[in-house]
Amino acid sequence: MSYKSLEKTQLWLMLLPGVILYAIFNFGPLVGLLYMSVHEWSGIGGMTFVGLDNFRLILLDDFYRAGFLKALWQNIYFFAIIITSLLVIGTFIALMLSFKVYGRKQYQILYFLPYPLAGAAVAYLMMLIFDTNGPVNSTLLSWGWIDRPVNFMGSEDITLMMYAFFMSWYRMGFAIVMILAAIVAVRTDLVEAAFLDGAKRWQAIRHIVFPVLMPAFVVVFIIILVDTFNNADFTLLISEAQAGPNRSTDILGSYLYRSAFGAGPQDLALGYGVASVIGLLTAIIIAPVAALGAMRNIKK
Amino acid sequence: MRLLKTTLAVATAAASLATATTAMANTTVEFWTFRPQEEALWNRVNQENLIPGVTVNFNRISNDDYEARLRIALQRGGPDIFSGKVGAQWLAQFIAADAIVSMEELGVDLSNILPGALAGGQAADGQFYGVPFAVQLQSIIYNTDAFESLGLAHPTNIDEFEALLRAADAAGMEGLAVAGQAGWYLNQVFNEVIMAGLVADADQQAFVDGTKCFTDPVFVSALERVASWGPYMSANPTATNYDPMRTAVASGDALMMIDGAWSTGPASPMYEINPDFYPGFMAVPGVNGKVVAHPDGAYLANARSEKLDAVRQVLEFTTTETFGQLFLEEVTEPTAVQGEFVVENDITNAVMAALANAASIEPFIQPALNADTPNYGELIAQQMQRLLAGNATAAEAAAAVQAGLNSWGYVGAANCR
């Protein structure tokens, strides 16, 4: 065997474990999702081939299309709050933690602490704190700032926002760690040189610091994008599958769950076929954004 | 040699017989339910060997993920018998997958079941796929100690009822605890009890027939009445879930709630909160002034069970008076079986007395309103939440219910556009 062939074989052998794992855990389920999306299946008994009927139901039926678009729009709103909080507040905290100040390590641990918690624990904590009779409402009432308890957990206007804020707090540790790691890579000699050359503070941040931080921002953006468009922990745990009140906390993850498993005797499942369609549409919506971000990082 | 052969043959026959008898005696059927209150009942059935040769293995599955787990389990065989929820739509998914067997096919006679309860296991085609087990009272449930502390008489009309709400508020209690966060509660329990009290049976029947529209003043004014009780309800009803509602009533923080009598059985968590809690029952005292008799599902047989003979035995047993009596004693809920029963539990007696005044129709389970989506139950849950949160007027909520039903051409669509 020539050296070139040997090199090629070695490369293939090294790639093989990753390819096999990817095929089993990513590609296989994706093909399964495609297969299931053209079938009607309630999860029991056999599957019936229905062609594009499931896609037609979600995209062309007035009732289901309205439900899907509402969940999609609310998901974008939910994601926008979280990613803005993580990038703005996360960068600020990471910058603060990058300075050599007393107690820096303790603060790092403190900020990272919520991240390993289970979603259910965080949801329970939120319910305790913002319950109608919880400490926040009690305090506001005792200070005379409100006449009636604020409906944090059951309002069409603010409950999804509350979930987004708590999700931001929950994921903040992850964003801080990523951004902090990037800050460490900023070359201080370049910043100092820029100042000596007459650069203003904002110019130094914009042209030297941000380009170094950008890959970390992209990673945070992609991971949070995929997370918030595929999961609906808080909605399912607090508002339950009905995503009330009046579907105001419905996002794509809860819409998919409700389609697959239903939300009670009169809010029945639409079947795994329809749920697969929602999963595929979600992937189609977020995949290009995630791929573009990833490509940008690879180019760097 | 012959003696040896004979002895061996006799021994083999005896062993076979013994094995067969043991096998008969040890047929265990797996039973899944979302109703924890039935555990004592089935334990007693087993202990007293009331179904000869059959042991029922009781498995309680959380109501939250009952359907999801059931579906997954049925792929691998699943339980031999399982509790089904009420409604032809719920049954339809299992019938379509050939997962359950009809009672006619299984050979179970339902003639001993109360006619009003049969809907608990009836499919849209009129066939019966299960043995109904209970008829649940849904009504106002109040804390009798809290009620007595107010020193008021039982309300006999809506004005006296509203005076009661005001008196509770003045005494520092919530008048009416409402679990407005739970959609299933709003459509199955809350709305049905309100309508049974405030809307005449004939009008409710007309809504189901489509001869009267949900935008009719009768329906709208019932919703308006609910909205007007807002100041006496839980502070944020749409943020209040089912268990906190029951906790409020059990602890005396709230005077009353609208709920099913299943919450007053001995296994209810309300007694863990307040062991001295004693419930009272009444209808919403409006023009109709009736309660709801809700058939609470049925026992279903898994069509793929390998123990269908034993399953038949168990289901046949659940149609007997013996089972009805046990059900009353252990579950303390009104049984779906007909017969003469001795009821020693005062609460169960009160429940059964209240059931005598049940409305003749329950729109929530009517196929005419629930045959397609968005169905009546779904629409009521959403619109009631909007109403309770103050995001819609009664007229707007009623119009949204009507528009939703019209969208799939329900029976009254042509009449109500």
Side-chain angles (χ1 to χ4, degrees):
Chain A
M1 191 181 276
S2 69
Y3 177 76
K4 216 160 191 179
S5 309
L6 190 68
E7 193 186 22
K8 257 188 174 174
T9 313
Q10 277 179 342
L11 276 174
W12 276 110
L13 282 174
M14 279 191 281
L15 272 175
L16 205 59
V19 170
I20 292 171
L21 286 173
Y22 186 83
I24 294 171
F25 293 107
N26 287 64
F27 191 69
L30 192 67
V31 172
L33 210 61
L34 275 169
Y35 176 78
M36 213 181 272
S37 68
V38 290
H39 287 83
E40 188 182 320
W41 190 43
S42 66
I44 29 175
M47 294 186 190
T48 312
F49 179 75
V50 291
L52 295 176
D53 281 2
N54 291 332
F55 287 90
R56 220 170 279 140
L57 185 80
I58 293 297
L59 298 174
L60 300 179
D61 181 280
D62 289 346
F63 177 69
Y64 292 107
R65 187 182 53 215
F68 177 74
L69 291 177
K70 184 172 184 175
L72 174 63
W73 167 243
Q74 289 179 167
N75 212 142
I76 292 169
Y77 168 77
F78 182 64
F79 170 71
I81 293 177
I82 296 168
I83 199 67
T84 309
S85 310
L86 292 188
L87 295 185
V88 175
I89 302 171
T91 305
F92 177 75
I93 296 173
L95 272 170
M96 294 293 107
L97 291 174
S98 69
F99 300 138
K100 287 180 181 164
V101 292
Y102 178 75
R104 185 171 67 138
K105 287 282 167 209
Q106 285 80 353
Y107 274 116
Q108 282 178 4
I109 293 167
L110 206 65
Y111 282 119
F112 194 71
L113 218 52
Y115 188 61
L117 289 177
V122 177
Y124 186 62
L125 196 66
M126 174 163 49
M127 284 167 71
L128 280 181
I129 296 172
F130 291 100
D131 184 61
T132 300
N133 302 313
V136 172
N137 267 320
S138 304
T139 308
L140 293 175
L141 281 167
S142 67
W143 287 350
W145 288 12
I146 51 173
D147 299 327
R148 280 176 72 84
V150 179
N151 194 359
F152 289 115
M153 294 287 102
S155 159
E156 281 192 44
D157 305 319
I158 57 173
T159 303
L160 189 63
M161 195 164 54
M162 292 299 300
Y163 293 174
F165 285 140
F166 243 76
M167 187 63 137
S168 306
W169 171 77
Y170 181 30
R171 294 284 189 248
M172 191 61 80
F174 162 73
I176 290 170
V177 166
M178 295 300 293
I179 297 166
L180 191 58
I183 287 173
V184 173
V186 174
R187 287 177 56 189
T188 48
D189 55 333
L190 282 181
V191 178
E192 281 162 10
F195 284 142
L196 285 174
D197 288 344
K200 299 248 165 40
R201 184 182 296 266
W202 170 242
Q203 284 174 316
I205 291 174
R206 193 181 153 201
H207 295 291
I208 300 169
V209 179
F210 272 177
V212 181
L213 297 189
M214 197 51 82
F217 288 164
V218 171
V219 169
V220 172
F221 184 90
I222 293 172
I223 289 177
I224 297 299
L225 178 81
V226 173
D227 189 15
T228 52
F229 275 77
N230 284 295
N231 298 317
D233 293 4
F234 292 167
T235 296
L236 292 173
L237 287 163
I238 301 171
S239 303
E240 299 178 359
Q242 282 166 337
N246 192 27
R247 305 273 198 250
S248 62
T249 55
D250 205 13
I251 54 178
L252 290 174
S254 51
Y255 191 64
L256 186 149
Y257 179 92
R258 199 169 54 251
S259 302
F261 302 111
Q266 297 293 52
D267 203 346
L268 295 172
L270 295 169
Y272 291 157
V274 177
S276 303
V277 169
I278 296 163
L280 279 174
L281 291 175
T282 307
I284 289 167
I285 292 163
I286 62 171
V289 185
L292 279 175
M295 292 297 284
R296 192 189 179 288
N297 267 10
I298 289 166
K299 275 182 200 164
K300 295 278 165 187
Chain B
M1 192 62 174
R2 182 174 287 175
L3 181 68
L4 183 65
K5 275 184 179 171
T6 312
T7 312
L8 271 174
V10 169
T12 309
S16 304
L17 189 66
T19 310
T21 313
T22 311
M24 280 284 287
N26 288 328
T27 304
T28 300
V29 294
E30 293 297 325
F31 169 54
W32 278 27
T33 183
F34 53 92
R35 289 164 45 85
Q37 62 266 50
E38 289 191 22
E39 188 165 9
L41 164 77
W42 290 103
N43 285 343
R44 195 165 152 198
V45 168
N46 289 335
Q47 278 161 13
E48 295 181 14
N49 196 22
L50 294 171
I51 313 170
V54 179
T55 302
V56 178
N57 191 24
F58 179 92
N59 295 281
R60 190 254 163 154
I61 311 293
S62 158
N63 189 35
D64 294 336
D65 51 9
Y66 182 68
E67 280 153 67
R69 286 188 60 186
L70 192 58
R71 280 209 189 100
I72 293 164
L74 286 172
Q75 283 298 318
R76 304 189 307 262
D80 302 296
I81 301 172
F82 56 95
S83 296
K85 295 187 176 177
V86 71
Q89 260 198 309
W90 196 91
L91 288 174
Q93 53 191 332
F94 294 92
I95 296 167
D98 293 326
I100 52 175
V101 59
S102 78
M103 291 302 101
E104 194 184 354
E105 207 179 320
L106 193 65
V108 176
D109 178 18
L110 297 178
S111 59
N112 204 29
I113 299 293
L114 287 165
L118 283 170
Q122 192 171 22
D125 62 3
Q127 278 209 73
F128 298 102
Y129 279 85
V131 181
F133 44 79
V135 179
Q136 297 286 5
L137 167 72
Q138 294 182 171
S139 69
I140 289 174
I141 296 176
Y142 59 89
N143 182 323
T144 46
D145 285 344
F147 185 85
E148 279 162 20
S149 73
L150 295 174
L152 290 173
H154 273 250
T156 54
N157 57 48
I158 206 70
D159 292 334
E160 288 176 12
F161 176 74
E162 288 176 351
L164 187 63
L165 289 174
R166 286 192 292 276
D169 186 51
M173 282 185 269
E174 284 172 13
L176 184 67
V178 178
Q181 196 174 48
W184 73 266
Y185 163 82
L186 289 175
N187 56 26
Q188 182 198 310
V189 188
F190 187 76
N191 181 64
E192 293 300 286
V193 173
I194 295 285
M195 294 302 156
L198 299 179
V199 177
D201 282 1
D203 287 331
Q204 292 232 74
Q205 184 65 58
F207 292 139
V208 173
D209 296 341
T211 51
K212 212 164 212 173
C213 310
F214 287 93
T215 47
D216 189 277
V218 172
F219 189 78
V220 175
S221 67
L223 293 184
E224 271 168 0
R225 185 71 75 172
V226 173
S228 74
W229 297 338
Y232 313 110
M233 288 181 186
S234 311
N236 290 316
T238 51
T240 306
N241 217 328
Y242 188 61
D243 282 332
M245 173 187 77
R246 299 198 294 183
T247 301
V249 174
S251 62
D253 290 339
L255 174 63
M256 50 191 162
M257 61 182 177
I258 287 173
D259 198 7
W262 56 80
S263 286
T264 62
S268 169
M270 293 182 82
Y271 302 108
E272 287 170 29
I273 294 150
N274 176 8
D276 298 326
F277 169 70
Y278 196 87
F281 307 91
M282 66 176 169
V284 176
V287 288
N288 207 42
K290 291 186 177 172
V291 296
V292 175
H294 176 73
D296 201 5
Y299 298 130
L300 309 176
N302 181 352
R304 284 171 217 143
S305 168
E306 290 169 356
K307 302 167 188 169
L308 278 178
D309 284 339
V311 168
R312 183 187 307 109
Q313 267 182 277
V314 175
L315 293 187
E316 273 172 351
F317 174 70
T318 63
T319 67
T320 61
E321 243 181 283
T322 311
F323 179 78
Q325 183 63 46
L326 278 181
F327 198 88
L328 282 162
E329 287 172 17
E330 298 295 338
V331 187
T332 67
E333 290 170 3
T335 171
V337 180
Q338 301 189 64
E340 294 290 322
F341 300 108
V342 180
V343 185
E344 288 175 353
N345 184 307
D346 291 342
I347 295 173
T348 313
N349 268 322
V351 168
M352 292 181 81
L355 273 173
N357 178 37
S360 61
I361 185 156
E362 190 185 0
F364 171 73
I365 57 169
Q366 300 303 317
L369 298 181
N370 296 292
D372 209 332
T373 49
N375 60 47
Y376 179 70
E378 219 175 324
L379 290 163
I380 282 293
Q382 289 179 26
Q383 297 312 316
M384 196 58 91
Q385 281 182 332
R386 290 181 66 207
L387 188 77
L388 292 173
N391 292 328
T393 63
E396 286 166 351
V401 170
Q402 187 63 57
L405 293 172
N406 286 349
S407 69
W408 52 269
Y410 90 114
V411 65
N415 183 38
C416 296
R417 287 210 184 275

